[in-house]
Amino acid sequence: MSTPNRPSGPNRPDRPRKQIHLAAHFPGVNNTTVWSDPAAGSHIEFSSFAHFARTAERAKFDFIFLAEGLRLREQGGRIYDLDVVGRPDTFTVLAALAAVTERIGLAGTINSTFNEPYEVARQFASLDHLSDGRAAWNVVTSWDAFTGENFRRGGFLAREDRYSRAREFLAAAHTLFDSWTGDEILADRESGAFLRDAGAGAFAHRGRHFDIAGHFDVPRSPQGRPVIFQAGDSEEGREFAASDADAVFSRHGTLTAGREFYADVKGRLARYGRTPDQLLILPAATFVLGDTDAEAVELAHEVRLAQVSGQTAIKFLEHVWNRDLSGYDPDGPLPDIDPEPGENTVALGRASVRMHRDPLTVAKEWRELAAARNLSIRELVIETTGRQTFVGSAATVADAIDSLVQQDAADGFILVPHLTPTGLDVFADTVVPLLQERGAFRTEYTGSTLRDHLGLRTPPPAAAPAAVATPAPATV
Amino acid sequence: MSTPPGAPVPDGPPAGTFHLAVALEGAGAHPAAWREPGSPARELVTPGYWAGLVAEAERGLLDFVTFEDALGPPPSSPTGPDGRTDRVRGRLDAVLTAARVAPLTRHIGLLPTVVATHTEPFHVSKAIATLDYVSGGRAGLLVTVSGRPDEARHFGRRTFPRGPADSPDGLGSALRAELLDEAADHVEVVRRLWDSWEDDAEIRDVASGRFVDRGKLHHIGFEGRHFSVKGPSITPRPPQGQPLVGASARVGAPPRLLAEAVDLVFLAPRDTEEVRTLTDGIRAARSAAGQPEGTGRVFADLVVFLDESATAATARLRRLDALAQEPYAPGTHVFAGTPARLAALLTEWHRRGPDGFRLRPGVLSHDLPAITRGLVPELRRRGALRTARPGGTFRDLLGLARPASRYAARYATTRPGRTTAP
Ligand SMILES: Cc1cc2nc3c(=O)[nH]c(=O)nc-3n(C[C@@H](O)[C@H](O)[C@H](O)COP(=O)(O)O)c2cc1C
């Protein structure tokens, strides 16, 4: 974990150097974020968001990214209090950031289960206008009834329907975005024609989840549609990415796992008449920088200890074991009892729990790992919960990022600093110039929209999915 | 300025209690506003246009701006789309527009319109709380309802019958009552969510490893006729504690929404006579509902066309009416005249009861600068309007106290000294 990730294998000399895409994830509600550091600032004050976005823009990043969770997490029937709790509304903070930045893309996570297409399409089209074409939407599908308790309809969606609703939601949103072609507004004072004809924005969508029609009231936005991200990891999630997304926010950033995921998802594109350059793979990655590799490794160890306290380790184990483990010693061995099977009733509102594989399998693997390496509970959690991490001097980290991208383990990375709001500063000041020197990362923005930064075309309205009514097959 | 600041005209209202706001909508309130020379009709969905308007309002020391909105294109008839091509079409989400201009301004209150009928109070609560954060305590919201069948079709979850043709807002009385009742519940949920975090819930206690004191986070457990919401909010309590909620009075007796749920009421008097009766009516309804004196503010709406002579203003209005091919009848008083005459009218109306006025500029590009550069100096000369910013939050600006969280207050009275709750 704490050794620099330095993939072996040569870069391919037979093709031009791939350009790296870099983005920054605002640190938030997870145990990656070290709030106890004296340098840790507010996770809510706008000045934190402004600092973070301006740093990313100064470093010429493609975009900044906000996660979302629509209910405070609970564990064992009580609100989870060990990690950062609380975050602002995605759309509102992104619209405000549009005022204090000029080029950086503004990506927000918005759930397709607890929203309605007309309203979300209106918000994204508005954000795209208000940012002059910098909006992106990470379409997530969390469906649980626990989160549903905060909404009018409650937890109305079955788990197996989450992607069927998401796909139809996105198709409906695209119908709305495409209901204006961009040349409707004449605003001719003399003749009195504001619109070319009265049909601007007329739309109809009928499907299993939505039956809506009328007039969309936001004219075509600078990007036509926001850039679409996908972040689910299931079979259906990958298929959704291949059919509909412009970029995937993945968890697979190491060389082996990254190359496998990359090949898998890009391999699905042809089925949808798409080419590999139409979908970017961007794994999440943390980083710890030091003046030397040794110093960074030492610092990374401290960071991990701050991220995973003894209490946090027990709580993490409860996510998998699905039962109260508060009696266990975090510095002792793993519980000898098995996880409670069935729906997780202990840890509520966590994406990580929703994404867990079979708990019995996970517990078995963890026991084997702990036995083989003689790890305590806390050591095991530190070992298994770390995400893709770049640790080292700026040169080491620049090298690792570039190698992974050149070897098709990723098209770039979404970096998650562990400090708010200054965690990105050192990366911007030290690693970015090295990547620029190599010719692997831009020194100036060449376009003005997020699609320009990502090398994606602005879709013509004619590219609207023709048949939105038939839900795509769940598995192809 | 010749008169010293703050010197009241005889019989005038005390300085500092006279509040002035403007309503921002498209090219202006008049349907033909976009056809005025100088109206940037092709820029109505650009950020620069909105930033410019709000900057102008702030330069004029206005208390706040409202952003009109709806979940469908504005029809010229209240019942549905009209097929016209000579009206402004295309509008941005009001909350996002307010957020976009918030970091560019420092003092002015920002009230976007929110349609309670089709939105989730959970989303609305965190959006306005966030607007309060990004503006440093200057957020509010203007809650509205929609019974339009065409807007309901945009959501596909409910259907509304077409209201009687002679109804001013296109709604039948039963549906109107139901929607207003639902909106009152919506506001109640939004407010409970703002309170669901006590102000000092974030403790960052390194010793115990706890980021928050969960005893200061509260499930709101709202159960209503139309929806139920569990809470707490995902967003901490906003700087103002409770951002200000406003609503417009339409027709009939003030419903629960206006009497109990909101802080700011916008009345639509058609003439000087109605100013007093409407203001007294709303004050009586609020007092009957148990609202303490001084917890709300009452505004009167006027549409204004301002020019150097009354003749020019009236001629402009007539010209716009001719372009729109119908006389302009917005259901509230329409003033066409000089800034001096409007200042006289407003000070007179102010004596009849309202705390202030929300002006709807007929043509924004023309009448907004006429307000900030013509009307405002006139009002100051009369001692009606303050001459400097008091600073602080939007609540401070309107002289409204910052309320304690209802949950904190409850714990404080029923469980003194208690720091954590089960
Ligand atoms: C890297 C990554 C980031 C995610 N971020 C969020 C998030 O911010 N909010 C959320 O509700 N879900 C988030 N998720 C989970 C959802 O995207 C996902 O839709 C959900 O778990 C169900 O999809 P799945 O079964 O395909 O994984 C994230 C997932 C990944 C892999």
Side-chain angles (χ1 to χ4, degrees), chain B residues 11-26:
Chain B
D11 211 17
T17 63
F18 184 113
H19 297 288
L20 200 59
V22 290
L24 303 180
E25 170 175 26

Side-chain angles (χ1 to χ4, degrees), chain B residues 89-388:
Chain B
R89 289 293 178 267
R91 164 153 68 187
L92 303 180
D93 179 271
V95 176
L96 270 75
T97 305
R100 176 64 174 75
V101 300
L104 306 176
T105 53
R106 301 244 336 253
H107 304 288
I108 196 159
L110 303 167
L111 263 76
T113 297
V114 165
V115 182
T117 309
H118 300 295
T119 57
E120 293 283 353
F122 191 84
H123 289 316
V124 170
S125 176
K126 66 185 161 64
I128 302 301
T130 303
L131 183 62
D132 211 36
Y133 279 105
V134 303
S135 65
R138 293 182 285 127
L141 75 102
L142 199 59
V143 63
T144 61
V145 300
S146 166
R148 275 169 48 183
D150 64 312
E151 288 188 22
R153 277 291 279 143
H154 293 165
F155 289 81
R157 286 175 59 178
R158 47 212 293 194
T159 51
F160 297 133
R162 224 164 253 279
D166 59 349
S167 154
D169 55 3
L171 299 181
S173 58
L175 178 59
R176 180 186 302 122
E178 183 194 320
L179 295 178
L180 290 172
D181 191 57
E182 182 186 17
D185 279 1
H186 193 287
V187 172
E188 171 68 10
V189 170
V190 166
R191 289 186 181 285
R192 284 195 200 181
L193 288 167
W194 286 335
D195 279 349
S196 66
W197 287 58
E198 294 182 31
D199 291 318
D200 50 358
E202 185 181 312
I203 51 170
R204 296 191 184 229
D205 184 26
V206 177
S208 68
R210 293 175 308 144
F211 183 80
V212 284
D213 176 352
R214 59 183 160 213
K216 295 183 174 180
L217 297 174
H218 306 276
H219 290 123
I220 67 164
F222 178 87
E223 304 275 348
R225 217 153 60 81
H226 307 278
F227 47 82
S228 61
V229 176
K230 184 81 175 182
S233 180
I234 59 165
T235 307
R237 195 157 192 259
Q240 294 183 95
Q242 291 276 323
L244 294 173
V245 182
S248 294
R250 289 277 174 250
V251 279
R256 179 165 71 101
L257 177 70
L258 294 177
E260 291 177 18
V262 305
D263 309 286
L264 313 177
V265 176
F266 296 90
L267 304 172
R270 279 163 302 186
D271 53 40
T272 306
E273 270 319 295
E274 279 190 353
V275 175
R276 192 184 294 279
T277 49
L278 290 178
T279 312
D280 288 352
I282 198 72
R283 291 234 166 89
R286 289 180 68 85
S287 147
Q291 299 287 323
E293 189 89 12
T295 50
R297 295 286 178 263
V298 178
F299 289 81
D301 284 351
L302 287 89
V303 178
V304 299
F305 295 83
L306 298 175
D307 283 290
E308 274 165 26
S309 73
T311 327
T314 313
R316 187 158 59 92
L317 174 55
R318 281 214 204 90
R319 194 173 70 234
L320 288 165
D321 281 356
L323 289 172
Q325 293 171 357
E326 62 197 11
Y328 181 51
T332 188
H333 185 72
V334 178
F335 176 92
T338 63
R341 180 70 198 97
L342 179 59
L345 181 75
L346 295 183
T347 44
E348 187 191 334
W349 280 23
H350 188 225
R351 279 194 289 273
R352 290 167 194 249
D355 300 295
F357 301 93
R358 179 174 67 154
L359 306 179
R360 298 176 58 200
V363 178
L364 276 164
S365 60
H366 179 107
D367 295 301
L368 177 60
I371 290 168
T372 53
R373 297 166 203 194
L375 174 70
V376 166
E378 278 290 341
L379 286 167
R380 287 213 206 134
R381 217 167 46 73
R382 289 158 192 266
L385 212 58
R386 58 180 158 63
T387 53

Side-chain angles (χ1 to χ4, degrees), chain A residues 1-158:
Chain A
M1 191 76 261
S2 50
T3 48
N5 190 323
R6 196 193 279 276
S8 54
N11 294 340
R12 286 168 50 176
D14 55 323
R15 65 172 183 189
R17 184 182 283 277
K18 268 171 82 181
Q19 288 298 300
I20 298 169
H21 294 281
L22 289 176
H25 182 315
F26 187 84
V29 180
N30 52 52
N31 80 307
T32 307
T33 309
V34 178
W35 55 261
S36 55
D37 192 298
S42 171
H43 293 83
I44 293 295
E45 294 300 329
F46 183 62
S47 56
S48 287
F49 289 89
H51 177 93
F52 192 77
R54 284 179 175 137
T55 305
E57 181 162 84
R58 173 163 68 79
K60 315 292 179 224
F61 275 31
D62 292 57
F63 59 90
I64 63 144
F65 178 91
L66 299 186
E68 183 188 61
L70 294 171
R71 178 135 183 215
L72 296 191
R73 298 169 304 173
E74 293 183 10
Q75 195 151 337
R78 307 171 74 179
I79 286 165
Y80 192 83
D81 60 359
L82 300 179
D83 297 342
V84 168
V85 180
R87 53 175 122 217
D89 175 68
T90 302
F91 282 120
T92 313
V93 86
L94 291 180
L97 285 174
V100 299
T101 55
E102 284 176 6
R103 296 290 189 93
I104 187 102
L106 304 166
T109 301
I110 294 293
N111 185 291
S112 59
T113 300
F114 303 111
N115 286 288
E116 297 298 327
Y118 192 92
E119 191 181 13
V120 168
R122 205 167 178 267
Q123 289 165 315
F124 271 114
S126 297
L127 181 63
D128 208 42
H129 279 289
L130 292 168
S131 64
D132 297 309
R134 298 188 276 143
W137 173 14
N138 180 34
V139 187
V140 296
T141 60
S142 315
W143 73 94
D144 54 298
F146 174 74
T147 304
E149 283 184 325
N150 280 337
F151 297 98
R152 282 177 185 252
R153 275 212 285 203
F156 64 95
L157 201 65

